[in-house]
Amino acid sequence: MAMTSWPSSGRQTRHQLAFFLFLLLLDVGICVPLLSFPLSLPRDKNMISRKFYIKDDVFWKDGNRFQIIGGDLHYFRVLPEYWEDRLLRAKALGLNTIQVYVPWNLHEPKPEKMVFEGIGDLVSFLKLCDKLNFLVMLRAGPYICGEWDLGGFPAWLLAVRPRLQLRTSDPAYLKLVERWWNVLFPKVFPLLYSNGGPVIMVQIENEYGSYGNDKAYLRNLVSMARRHLGDDIILYTTDGGTRETLEKGTVPVDDVYSTVDFTTGDDPWPIFELQKKFNAPGRSPPLSSEFYTGWLTHWGEKIAKTDAEFTASSLEKILSRNGSAVLYMVHGGTNFGFYNGANTGSDEFDYKPDLTSYDYDAPIRESGDIDNPKFQALQRVIKKYSAAPHSIVPSNKQRKAYGPIKMQMTTSLFDLVSMSDPANVITSTKPMSMESAGQMFGFLLYESSYNAKKSGNVLRIPKVHDRAQVFVSCLSQDVDVRGLRYSGTTERWNNQPVSLPTTECTSNTSLFILVENMGRVNYGPYIFDEKGILSLVYLDGQILHGWKMIKIPLHNLNQVPNLSFEMQHSKKRTEKFTNDVGQKEPALFAGEFSINTVEEIKDTYLSFNGWGKGVAFVNNFNIGRYWPSRGPQCNLYVPAPLLKPGKNTLVIFELESPHLELLLDAVDREDFTCGSNDSKVNQL
């Protein structure tokens, strides 16, 4: 149904007719069982007046003009114990609206296995927004981008055959979207503003005009959403502020509101005038639905920074003329687990994975700190235009340096192979992708064998996503001399042949290739980003056949840990490893640190200076990837709710070169000065 300038009152009219019919039946003496009568009356008089709508190019809330001053804050990048803290800081900034993505992959990690608990408890997050008097703009996808793995799509979609055409009107893909929304939207419907909740708008897709031009696809999404959410809710799209992106990304029906985003510092008002051309008359309140407070950073880049006063003055250009804006981000948070996204440059091999930190140079920093120039500058501007009362500004969270942590090797990669559950091993004549092997995140180990030449061999993998470490071993030898010998690394962005060393194996030499999925592309034409070895493997120019794929079962953000990190090391193995750290055999390392009392539990950071590359777990929670040699991120943020009184366990899967003294340091501050860049800040 096309949305008129006022929201449809059909539902209310139906309620009134039903009520009058009920009275009429009573009047003529017909007995009506109350419990079975399909009548839904408003809970109170105030419910009747709850309306959020668009008229005369203005937002209206309950009959009053409303200016959206909002910010993006993602529940899945913040521990639930800190949701209220971060929202209160957004309130102190002066915001009245929270915009939030819903990542499909977090909530359906396996087909039809739905997760809405813990960090995925969307309903509790929305109710908390309501409790704190925030309105909510819900970005329901199914594609969200957001520097999140595969743009929020579940990785298992890439394993469906025949191959799905994501972000199109492909019936098989749309059927899966509908199945997902059949779960999601019934949870959202009671929380719509007209039903007493905080949700005033629901976004479909995201920046589609930067990707495709399939109007049938967008209309299908609109129809699905309307079936679940009704006609009163405002559906909206977001696209870059150019004619081309708006022509491709907007839905040519009157009941979908088109918003824009653009570079901070651009003159907003010509773009808002363009926005009007893609909305029905009177239905185009000026809204920058992504006003960039900062920017993302990839591994190997300088940390991105934007000037505080420049950002604040750009925002004032919008607010001073009754425009609306949503800060992206107001609080970035952290890419916990393996969920960070990635971008590409000129082609799919120009691969750029995102940092674990999603600080984004936002006014509320990754740790929640607001004592910074950007928060203060934006707050001064927002206070001029925000009618909402400001709460007392929360103080920064205390942080604690717990000091050095001694690590011990517990399990080498070779040991992991020997302990592999047969259920985690798949055989095939040629390498399979991670998705086809059922390993959606983390690492997959490929094993084959070959006849070694005295002069050595040359290995070539034309297509690997994303990083492959190559090892050889004589598995038929006596157990005391078995092990993996590092041969080299080949990467998606720097694909080089690997020279295999000469061996003295009494039979075929075993070949092991450990492939790391460093995060799927979330934006652009290369989002169909399968992981693992995606081509044939060549040894001295000949195809190498006969492969085993061995899953390395490191758990992700929304999974129950399925790998025991008990101390399994033998003293002999540990001594051998620590005396030969240059061999670069990946291994699990474990350590402990103690906290005496609850009062001493504070946020902290783990400094990985001196280590190589890997992933870290604190008390079985995956806090993300580290890569100090590449930089710029040196330290990983550890929120206090992950810690406990008594012993706290730290486990890392180190891929390359452990610290010479096997020490980690728990420090009290962030650090983005690692890597080889001379200048550590990318000033935008």
Side-chain angles (χ1 to χ4, degrees), residues 144-168:
I144 63 170
C145 186
E147 288 74 64
W148 194 251
D149 188 82
L150 198 58
F153 284 129
W156 53 262
L157 292 178
L158 300 176
V160 174
R161 296 293 181 268
R163 182 172 176 147
L164 298 173
Q165 299 301 310
L166 306 180
R167 305 187 76 185
T168 74

Side-chain angles (χ1 to χ4, degrees), residues 374-576:
K374 185 167 288 184
F375 185 94
Q376 294 159 5
L378 289 170
Q379 186 185 55
R380 284 196 302 270
V381 169
I382 292 170
K383 277 186 175 181
K384 298 178 185 179
Y385 307 100
S386 176
H390 294 273
S391 63
I392 298 173
V393 178
S395 60
N396 287 338
K397 288 282 186 182
Q398 291 184 336
R399 297 188 295 253
K400 187 172 178 64
Y402 292 102
I405 303 169
K406 182 66 175 177
M407 305 296 290
Q408 285 185 301
M409 194 195 92
T410 64
T411 316
S412 71
L413 178 61
F414 180 85
D415 293 331
L416 284 174
V417 173
S418 63
M419 296 187 304
S420 295
D421 185 334
N424 287 330
V425 180
I426 299 172
T427 59
S428 175
T429 57
K430 62 182 181 179
M432 298 170 61
S433 70
M434 279 188 167
E435 293 80 9
S436 297
Q439 180 79 347
M440 301 303 165
F441 296 95
F443 304 86
L444 187 63
L445 185 65
Y446 294 79
E447 179 186 354
S448 188
S449 63
Y450 67 99
N451 289 314
K453 296 180 180 178
K454 291 184 178 180
S455 59
N457 303 81
V458 176
L459 182 78
R460 188 168 66 88
I461 312 173
K463 193 172 184 179
V464 60
H465 288 188
D466 300 305
R467 193 169 186 269
Q469 293 170 265
V470 181
F471 306 87
V472 296
S473 178
C474 300
L475 287 186
S476 62
Q477 300 284 345
D478 182 82
V479 67
D480 288 334
V481 297
R482 290 196 302 177
L484 301 183
R485 182 176 175 185
Y486 174 73
S487 301
T489 298
T490 185
E491 299 160 321
R492 175 174 177 171
W493 56 92
N494 186 24
N495 191 291
Q496 298 290 332
V498 175
S499 296
L500 303 183
T502 59
T503 66
E504 297 180 358
C505 297
T506 57
S507 60
N508 280 358
T509 301
S510 293
L511 173 70
F512 293 91
I513 305 172
L514 180 66
V515 178
E516 179 185 5
N517 165 2
M518 292 186 61
R520 292 179 182 83
V521 173
N522 58 265
Y523 179 82
Y526 304 113
I527 62 169
F528 300 89
D529 191 15
E530 290 182 282
K531 297 301 187 181
I533 296 177
L534 305 178
S535 65
L536 296 171
V537 175
Y538 296 86
L539 188 72
D540 301 326
Q542 301 297 312
I543 297 173
L544 190 59
H545 294 289
W547 291 89
K548 291 180 182 178
M549 276 64 64
I550 305 168
K551 301 176 186 178
I552 307 296
L554 302 177
H555 64 279
N556 202 5
L557 179 59
N558 58 337
Q559 295 176 320
V560 176
N562 56 6
L563 179 65
S564 173
F565 289 132
E566 297 293 329
M567 294 286 190
Q568 303 178 55
H569 69 285
S570 69
K571 185 177 180 181
K572 185 174 181 180
R573 288 286 301 167
T574 302
E575 289 175 350
K576 179 179 182 298

